[in-house]
Amino acid sequence: MSQTEFEILSELIARRRDVRRFRTDAVEWALLEDVFRLVELSPSVGNSQPWRWVSVEDKVLRKKVQINFNDANRLARSAVGNEKKALYDSLKLAGLKEAPIQFAVFCDPETDQGKGLGRQTMPETLHYSVVCSIMTFWLAAKAKGLGVGWVSILDSKAMTALLNVPSAWNFVAYLCVGYPQEDHYDPELERFGWQDRLWSLDMILRR
């Protein structure tokens, strides 16, 4: 990789932010197909490719996802210290109402792909593989001018039932996708005073 390629990658990673503020412009499916061609290249334990993406398009289903979020958010808020509650209430934690594209991402722990290679002692690596596919999607989407927001304040078991997927599948993420209203280098939670980022080198232990 040349220095120029490294600089391009660095810029892409720096601008990959968790987006909660979307424009409502439609996103062409052909653009998403380009992104998913790169998702196919994501690393997975034993070539298992356990990720299962569900495009949530039905308005009724989306409304139920919003209700799920609201219920889970009330519970999450109750765990926040009193000194942080006002700040918590001021944060925009999801773009569920605005994002034109929404995906629920699951892990299929029973996949036969890969024949179990590499995951006998650490089966959780299947879920890590799904996260790798999400990160690949995120970077590829950003390269196409799209923003992605990961909604984690949800009842995962309810999501599996709501979307009528196999009960063995494990819910990993709900992603809001669309063109962002703004483009930032700093995370929104840092920008609005929730918490500063840590310096990665400070978290490396040397043995």
Side-chain angles (χ1 to χ4, degrees), residues 67-192:
I67 293 171
N68 183 318
F69 169 81
N70 291 335
D71 291 343
N73 194 40
R74 280 192 291 271
L75 182 62
R77 183 185 184 277
S78 67
V80 175
N82 290 331
E83 73 283 358
K84 283 273 194 177
K85 274 191 166 58
L87 178 55
Y88 184 92
D89 292 340
S90 71
L91 299 173
K92 183 173 175 56
L93 299 175
L96 292 167
K97 294 181 180 180
E98 304 88 359
I101 301 293
Q102 299 181 23
F103 291 108
V105 190
F106 295 84
C107 176
D108 179 6
E110 298 180 348
T111 180
D112 189 50
Q113 176 78 0
K115 311 301 180 184
L117 180 66
R119 61 181 193 256
Q120 295 306 313
T121 58
M122 293 182 64
E124 63 271 22
T125 52
L126 284 171
H127 291 79
Y128 303 158
S129 299
V130 175
V131 174
C132 285
S133 80
I134 292 170
M135 194 62 190
T136 301
F137 175 88
W138 212 324
L139 291 173
K142 185 59 187 175
K144 286 288 190 177
L146 296 173
V148 178
W150 184 328
V151 184
S152 60
I153 307 175
L154 292 166
D155 181 328
S156 59
K157 291 183 178 179
M159 290 298 294
T160 300
L162 172 63
L163 296 176
N164 193 28
V165 299
S167 59
W169 289 11
N170 302 137
F171 178 73
V172 176
Y174 196 87
L175 304 179
C176 293
V177 183
Y179 294 103
Q181 290 182 8
E182 305 169 329
D183 202 14
H184 293 276
Y185 284 95
D186 56 334
E188 182 160 328
L189 291 180
E190 183 177 13
R191 193 162 62 253
F192 285 88

Side-chain angles (χ1 to χ4, degrees), residues 29 53-58 62 101-104:
W29 192 258
W53 292 65
V54 178
S55 178
V56 183
E57 303 170 11
D58 182 82
R62 287 192 178 190
I101 301 293
Q102 299 181 23
F103 291 108

Side-chain angles (χ1 to χ4, degrees), residues 26-36 55 57 101-103:
V27 176
E28 294 293 331
W29 192 258
L31 186 154
L32 292 170
E33 288 180 351
D34 289 342
V35 172
F36 276 106
S55 178
E57 303 170 11
I101 301 293
Q102 299 181 23
F103 291 108

